[in-house]
Amino acid sequence: LGESDLCNMEGAVFGLPQSNLVLLGKADGAGAIVLRGVVNDGAEEFEEVELENKDDMDVDDSYCLLSSADVLRKTKLLAASEVSFSDSVFSVFFVESSSSRSSTPYSVVVMSGAHDSNLKNETNLEVVFVHRISEAPGSVRGEIVSITPVVADEKTKSSASIGCVWSSGHACVYSISLSQEGKSDTEEETLFKLSEWTLVGDTPEKIAMPKDDEGERFYESDNIVAMDLFSLPHHVFQTQSVLSSDEKMPRTCASSSSLHDPLPSFLPDRLSMHGTWCSGHDHSKDQIHVAVCRRSGMLEIYDLSDKKRLQNDVLPIWRSRGCSHGASVLAHTDQDTAVRLPATHQVEAAEIRVFVTGPSLSLDNDNNAEKDAWMLRSLCILVNTSLGDLHLYSGCKRSSDLNLEFTRIPLGNVSRPSEEAGRHLTKLRRKGIASESLSTVFRPNRLHRFSSISGEDGLFAATQRPLWFVSERGTPAVVSHKSRHVAPAGGRPVPVSGFSAAMPTLFQNASCGFLTLHERIGRIGSQRLTLYSGLYDVFSPHGVLPGGGICVQKVPMGVTVRHIEFIDDASVSTSHRPIYVMLISREIEADQSYLNDDGLSPEERQRIKDEKEAARVKKQVEADLGGFDIEQEWVEEIEREDCFEVDRKLGFAPSIPQRKYEVWLVDASSEFSVLDKYELDDFEHGTALKSLFLTNVIEDSDETPEKSLFVSVGTSFIDHDGEDLASKGRILLFQVKKSKKNQRMDRRQAPLHLNLRSEKEITVGPVTSLSSLKSEDTYRVVVGAGAEVTVEQWGSGKLTQVGFYHAHMQVQEIVLFKTFFLLSDAYDSLHFLVWRESDKSLTLLAKDYEPTQVFAAGLISRGGAMAFVCHDDRQNLKFFSVCTCRC
């Protein structure tokens, strides 16, 4: 939808939809740029908000966070999100200040919409709650390594939680909720409270234990290295019993109300038993869970409500070993099972995210649509390791006790940085353009959950190779992210450094759009902010995700496409506007109303009928007197007659289906819109299409012949009375020309049309094959028609035959390799020919003497060897090689 270039951006992008704000973190770590979404004259735009600066003195007052300007100008934003508390929207910030007056620089700030603010100069936010993170007595946390997104409690609508991992190996979960007192007596201030839950890593006793092997010490550590908060129904991680169909059926009388499954379970789909649960779109049963990944590879999932209820001795509800080590299956276990650990390198999880892929749940009451959406939703876990690898797991319940398992899904592409990116970074450092990478403890989030983008939920991975994790018919799939003018991961760790799916609500595509911030090609430190309206090419109703990071989109043409060719001419077709030519057929209803009335009176019809009967009797008498069979003697003189009469008392002659062939010129850049079309004659079938070069050969001329690109079409005629006579065909030659009507238009977007240059009638049979032959810098067309192979040369505006070869039955296909021909006869196997330019002849070199019906044929070339392959009518693949020995 729009782009804008920026400088000195760190990459963190946070969206506040209800406030219509987008926050961009600065590279120096102090403050952020605030953009407000506005609509001017119907155009959606972003304008920068000027933050007020009341204190002109150079005083470090970042410790005092009294206003929104103090938070946005003097602190580093680590996390920001909007949360609904008691039907009111508040903005929750987790910030880091550079003040030396505080023992810890981290704070949690809650803001609400301001009542008295100038919308043109301020953010329309005011601070209502500030909590400074303090260390517990006798504990050393260090610095924050990573932080999770803010997750709201959809069950209570009165709290939100955020988690962070410390450099000491511990982790904390902070829950912001409304106080029990609710609002104060003045009803102008909302009271908040913050609770903290600490997850312990290595204990001091374990740290003090001696270890002989450094690798053993690394993988036996219980330090927390990655963390995530997510909201799911509690029954997902519970063990379920298998009930019979009789036990599931409620013993009640029949009613009009729909019957729901009393035991929600994972629904099967095509890959194992990937699926999800049926808990409703209102999230009333969702609870906040905490996923913790330790350095040892242990993945633990806790229920946050258990901590609020039990306070101490909280046990994980689900745990498994092998996370970050590439385990094929993550299964729940209460015992310490041995897993295979990397022996030559040390790897740990750098970031983990639990998400759901599949169609977004609609808010309407369509039960069938909601059921179909749940059937195609999958619970997934994505692990980003310290080496840059991505491990994707999909949840399933396939064991006897229906315990939740996560099966690893192969991605089919590489997620680590490429060698080109490494060489590019080395080059920038050698020239002094990029400085040496500074080791920072804090790692910004690169795995971003999203929902309702083009009607889909999933995850965007802003890693060294940006990827989209979406669902393809219930199975997680990967699609590569493409941006314009994006620089490789040289100057920065990742090319796409910022992502946000929280768009201003006043934008038209706010519910399905997103923002990205990527490093721009050019000067180091220049970024580009891009606003998208969705991923319609991927999630369109006709989109297909075959895997490997690519997407395929089906384009409904409304007709049958027989052949398609790309116009390989730079003056006509470009990468921004690819042009194709198609040979299509469409079904039409032929009108036979002329049979209802022939314009004759009943007396005239009876007279014509009597004359025909008299002629038939006369021929029969002559045949009897001459002693020969009339059916054989007069067969050539038999005239076709109508085999039926239309009885108008019963009805009129119905229309009959017929097939009409056309040649289309289409523009792929505008959804394959038709630029021009050429209709073939009645009862003419299109059988071959080829875009090729032809050399304009002029006899007795010293000028260098020129080559031109043509679109050749081969056809066949079928008489309207059937195939009693041998079929004929013709060759049509078109050229793609630019229209001269609109000379003022951009030449790249000039209208194109098909220009018929020549046509040649072929009497030996239907044209079934067209190929391009290049010999001594001369381009010719090879035509396969009936049982003949002819070589046609272009010159003086017409095609002239210069060579031929007579096959046995019917030319099925001709495959060319240099000047060698592989001719596949429909009923007489393969023939191997060669074209000699000296005498312009086609010579048979070898053939298969076994009569075989060939459906398709091809060449296999490797080094100095060549082989042939054909597919026959018995579903066999036959491979041949030329035997040069003379027996």
Side-chain angles (χ1 to χ4, degrees):
L1 294 179
E3 294 178 315
S4 179
D5 293 336
L6 303 170
C7 291
N8 196 28
M9 293 291 103
E10 180 187 11
V13 179
F14 305 102
L16 306 178
Q18 299 297 328
S19 302
N20 296 319
L21 298 178
V22 173
L23 311 179
L24 307 177
K26 293 184 178 180
D28 53 8
I33 292 180
V34 182
L35 302 179
R36 177 187 288 113
V38 295
V39 179
N40 294 327
D41 297 332
E44 300 175 351
E45 300 175 353
F46 279 106
E47 63 179 15
E48 185 175 353
V49 178
E50 298 180 2
L51 301 177
E52 59 179 357
N53 188 6
K54 298 181 180 180
D55 190 0
D56 297 335
M57 295 185 300
D58 190 10
V59 179
D60 183 14
D61 57 352
S62 59
Y63 179 76
C64 301
L65 304 177
L66 302 178
S67 64
S68 60
D70 295 335
V71 177
L72 299 177
R73 284 194 306 107
K74 305 170 185 178
T75 63
K76 178 180 180 181
L77 298 182
L78 303 182
S81 179
E82 282 188 345
V83 182
S84 298
F85 290 108
S86 183
D87 299 331
S88 300
V89 178
F90 294 87
S91 300
V92 179
F93 296 82
F94 199 102
V95 300
E96 177 185 1
S97 60
S98 59
S99 175
S100 60
R101 300 168 55 186
S102 175
S103 59
T104 177
Y106 305 106
S107 303
V108 177
V109 182
V110 180
M111 299 185 190
S112 65
H115 300 284
D116 299 326
S117 63
N118 187 359
L119 293 179
K120 296 183 179 180
N121 297 323
E122 297 183 3
T123 61
N124 195 25
L125 295 174
E126 61 179 0
V127 177
V128 297
F129 176 76
V130 177
H131 177 84
R132 302 194 180 279
I133 306 300
S134 60
E135 293 185 356
S139 64
V140 179
R141 294 177 177 174
E143 301 180 19
I144 289 182
V145 177
S146 62
I147 193 168
T148 68
V150 180
V151 178
D153 190 350
E154 299 292 343
K155 185 176 182 179
T156 61
K157 297 289 185 180
S158 62
S159 65
S161 302
I162 187 172
C164 60
V165 178
W166 300 89
S167 59
S168 60
H170 307 309
C172 293
V173 178
Y174 301 97
S175 297
I176 306 102
S177 58
L178 292 172
S179 62
Q180 297 180 357
E181 291 82 2
K183 292 188 176 181
S184 61
D185 297 337
T186 59
E187 294 292 337
E188 295 180 357
E189 181 181 2
T190 305
L191 303 179
F192 291 90
K193 67 176 182 179
L194 187 139
S195 58
E196 178 180 347
W197 175 32
T198 303
L199 290 92
V200 181
D202 282 342
T203 60
E205 294 78 9
K206 190 171 185 178
I207 297 176
M209 292 177 60
K211 298 292 182 179
D212 298 334
D213 187 9
E214 183 67 24
E216 182 182 358
R217 180 185 301 178
F218 182 85
Y219 288 114
E220 287 187 359
S221 174
D222 290 334
N223 281 342
I224 299 174
V225 293
M227 184 181 185
D228 184 36
L229 271 66
F230 57 95
S231 181
L232 285 177
H234 185 72
H235 67 77
V236 173
F237 298 98
Q238 291 179 345
T239 302
Q240 301 175 0
S241 59
V242 181
L243 301 180
S244 62
S245 59
D246 296 337
E247 293 173 336
K248 287 185 178 181
M249 182 64 66
R251 301 180 180 275
T252 57
C253 57
S255 63
S256 60
S257 60
S258 59
L259 299 179
H260 299 280
D261 188 356
L263 186 61
S265 60
F266 276 68
L267 302 176
D269 63 12
R270 61 178 183 177
L271 180 59
S272 181
M273 290 186 65
H274 297 238
T276 185
W277 54 97
C278 299
S279 60
H281 61 265
D282 55 353
H283 302 286
S284 60
K285 299 180 181 179
D286 290 3
Q287 297 179 1
I288 297 179
H289 297 78
V290 181
V292 170
C293 187
R294 302 184 183 272
R295 182 168 294 168
S296 60
M298 177 66 73
L299 177 62
E300 300 174 349
I301 296 179
Y302 298 86
D303 191 344
L304 190 59
S305 61
D306 293 343
K307 171 60 183 174
K308 297 178 181 179
R309 184 177 63 257
L310 302 176
Q311 298 298 326
N312 297 318
D313 299 332
V314 179
L315 298 177
I317 61 176
W318 192 92
R319 64 198 298 262
S320 176
R321 283 191 176 275
C323 184
S324 74
H325 297 156
S328 59
V329 177
L330 299 179
H332 174 62
T333 176
D334 295 328
Q335 301 177 356
D336 292 337
T337 58
V339 295
R340 182 179 179 182
L341 300 176
T344 59
H345 62 277
Q346 296 178 353
V347 61
E348 62 184 16
E351 189 174 356
I352 185 174
R353 200 69 75 230
V354 181
F355 63 101
V356 174
T357 63
S360 302
L361 298 180
S362 60
L363 298 180
D364 53 12
N365 295 324
D366 190 355
N367 293 329
N368 294 328
E370 182 180 351
K371 177 183 177 181
D372 295 339
W374 280 121
M375 286 288 294
L376 300 178
R377 289 168 66 86
S378 302
L379 177 64
C380 302
I381 296 179
L382 185 64
V383 181
N384 186 16
T385 66
S386 57
L387 298 180
D389 296 325
L390 291 177
H391 299 163
L392 176 63
Y393 294 91
S394 181
C396 59
K397 291 190 174 182
R398 57 185 178 183
S399 58
S400 59
D401 55 356
L402 292 180
N403 281 331
L404 177 63
E405 296 180 357
F406 288 92
T407 306
R408 185 176 176 183
I409 305 297
L411 299 182
N413 51 10
V414 181
S415 57
R416 292 189 182 184
S418 62
E419 295 181 358
E420 291 79 2
R423 289 194 295 264
H424 179 67
L425 177 59
T426 304
K427 180 180 178 181
L428 294 178
R429 291 177 178 176
R430 184 175 64 252
K431 293 184 176 182
I433 300 176
S435 59
E436 295 292 334
S437 58
L438 300 177
S439 59
T440 57
V441 177
F442 179 74
R443 182 184 186 276
N445 292 332
R446 295 175 183 173
L447 307 182
H448 306 274
R449 288 187 290 257
F450 66 84
S451 61
S452 301
I453 293 184
S454 300
E456 293 284 331
D457 296 349
L459 183 137
F460 175 74
T463 54
Q464 286 82 0
R465 300 172 186 264
L467 300 172
W468 292 87
F469 291 86
V470 293
S471 176
E472 168 64 13
R473 302 179 184 179
T475 302
V478 183
V479 180
S480 299
H481 176 75
K482 295 179 174 60
S483 299
R484 298 189 302 174
H485 311 293
V486 62
R492 291 290 181 89
V494 291
V496 179
S497 53
F499 174 85
S500 177
M503 300 286 291
T505 54
L506 58 86
F507 283 3
Q508 182 179 2
N509 299 303
S511 60
C512 59
F514 60 93
L515 283 166
T516 61
L517 184 68
H518 66 257
E519 290 297 312
R520 183 175 175 270
I521 295 178
R523 184 169 62 90
I524 299 299
S526 175
Q527 295 83 29
R528 171 160 292 186
L529 183 67
T530 309
L531 173 63
Y532 296 89
S533 61
L535 297 175
Y536 296 106
D537 293 340
V538 179
F539 298 131
S540 64
H542 304 283
V544 180
L545 306 178
I550 63 175
C551 62
V552 178
Q553 182 179 3
K554 295 185 292 184
V555 181
M557 303 297 297
V559 294
T560 302
V561 179
R562 302 290 179 174
H563 299 276
I564 182 170
E565 286 282 331
F566 174 67
I567 304 298
D568 193 7
D569 188 355
S571 62
V572 175
S573 181
T574 62
S575 58
H576 300 287
R577 191 193 184 193
I579 304 299
Y580 293 86
V581 61
M582 294 180 178
L583 179 61
I584 64 97
S585 66
R586 53 187 177 88
E587 302 293 333
I588 61 174
E589 296 291 335
D591 186 17
Q592 295 190 116
S593 59
Y594 64 91
L595 298 176
N596 297 329
D597 188 3
D598 54 5
L600 301 177
S601 62
E603 293 78 6
E604 294 176 341
R605 294 192 190 96
Q606 185 63 33
R607 180 177 55 81
I608 294 175
K609 185 176 181 181
D610 294 341
E611 292 177 355
K612 290 182 178 181
E613 181 65 21
R616 189 185 68 80
V617 172
K618 181 179 179 180
K619 292 179 180 179
Q620 183 65 47
V621 172
E622 293 177 353
D624 295 340
L625 294 177
F628 55 84
D629 190 359
I630 187 174
E631 298 297 333
Q632 296 181 358
E633 182 69 18
W634 300 95
V635 64
E636 296 182 357
E637 299 182 6
I638 293 178
E639 298 180 358
R640 298 184 182 274
E641 299 181 0
D642 295 336
C643 61
F644 63 89
E645 294 182 357
V646 178
D647 190 352
R648 302 182 63 177
K649 297 180 180 179
L650 302 177
F652 296 99
S655 59
I656 60 175
Q658 287 186 0
R659 189 170 293 168
K660 186 69 174 178
Y661 284 81
E662 298 177 355
V663 181
W664 283 8
L665 185 68
V666 297
D667 183 4
S669 62
S670 58
E671 299 181 356
F672 283 83
S673 60
V674 181
L675 303 178
D676 193 13
K677 61 177 62 176
Y678 178 86
E679 294 186 1
L680 300 183
D681 296 341
D682 294 338
F683 306 104
E684 184 177 16
H685 292 231
T687 53
L689 174 68
K690 186 69 175 179
S691 176
L692 45 80
F693 286 96
L694 292 178
T695 303
N696 187 12
V697 179
I698 302 177
E699 299 295 339
D700 301 332
S701 177
D702 297 334
E703 298 181 358
T704 303
E706 298 180 354
K707 67 174 183 178
S708 302
L709 184 67
F710 288 85
V711 176
S712 59
V713 179
T715 67
S716 64
F717 285 95
I718 297 179
D719 189 75
H720 65 281
D721 290 321
E723 296 182 348
D724 291 345
L725 301 178
S727 177
K728 300 179 180 180
R730 63 172 178 164
I731 303 174
L732 306 176
L733 291 182
F734 297 90
Q735 277 189 317
V736 180
K737 297 292 185 179
K738 294 184 178 180
S739 178
K740 299 181 180 180
K741 297 181 180 179
N742 299 323
Q743 294 290 345
R744 298 181 180 180
M745 295 181 60
D746 187 3
R747 295 184 61 185
R748 295 176 298 178
Q749 299 294 332
L752 304 174
H753 68 279
L754 289 171
N755 182 23
L756 179 62
R757 290 294 308 276
S758 176
E759 60 177 312
K760 182 177 181 179
E761 183 178 356
I762 304 297
T763 59
V764 296
V767 179
T768 56
S769 175
L770 293 171
S771 304
S772 178
L773 172 64
K774 179 183 179 183
S775 177
E776 296 183 1
D777 295 333
T778 301
Y779 293 86
R780 300 181 178 93
V781 58
V782 180
V783 181
E788 295 287 335
V789 178
T790 62
V791 179
E792 306 284 342
Q793 182 174 276
W794 173 254
S796 301
K798 64 179 181 179
L799 289 174
T800 304
Q801 178 179 327
V802 295
F804 74 96
Y805 176 81
H806 182 71
H808 289 179
M809 299 294 292
Q810 174 71 39
V811 177
Q812 175 77 13
E813 186 181 6
I814 300 176
V815 181
L816 268 66
F817 179 78
K818 295 182 179 180
T819 58
F820 295 95
F821 290 47
L822 180 63
L823 169 64
S824 58
D825 197 308
Y827 299 97
D828 197 22
S829 195
L830 300 181
H831 297 66
F832 189 50
L833 314 175
V834 64
W835 167 260
R836 293 189 301 184
E837 184 67 26
S838 59
D839 56 352
K840 293 182 174 55
S841 64
L842 282 172
T843 304
L844 177 65
L845 297 180
K847 66 168 294 185
D848 176 29
Y849 290 92
E850 182 71 21
T852 304
Q853 297 185 25
V854 180
F855 289 167
L859 292 169
I860 302 177
S861 175
R862 183 175 180 87
M866 178 182 294
F868 314 110
V869 59
C870 77
H871 175 216
D872 61 9
D873 59 333
R874 297 184 179 181
Q875 301 181 4
N876 297 323
L877 283 178
K878 294 184 177 181
F879 296 86
F880 301 90
S881 61
V882 177
C883 180
T884 58
C885 62
R886 297 183 179 272
C887 299

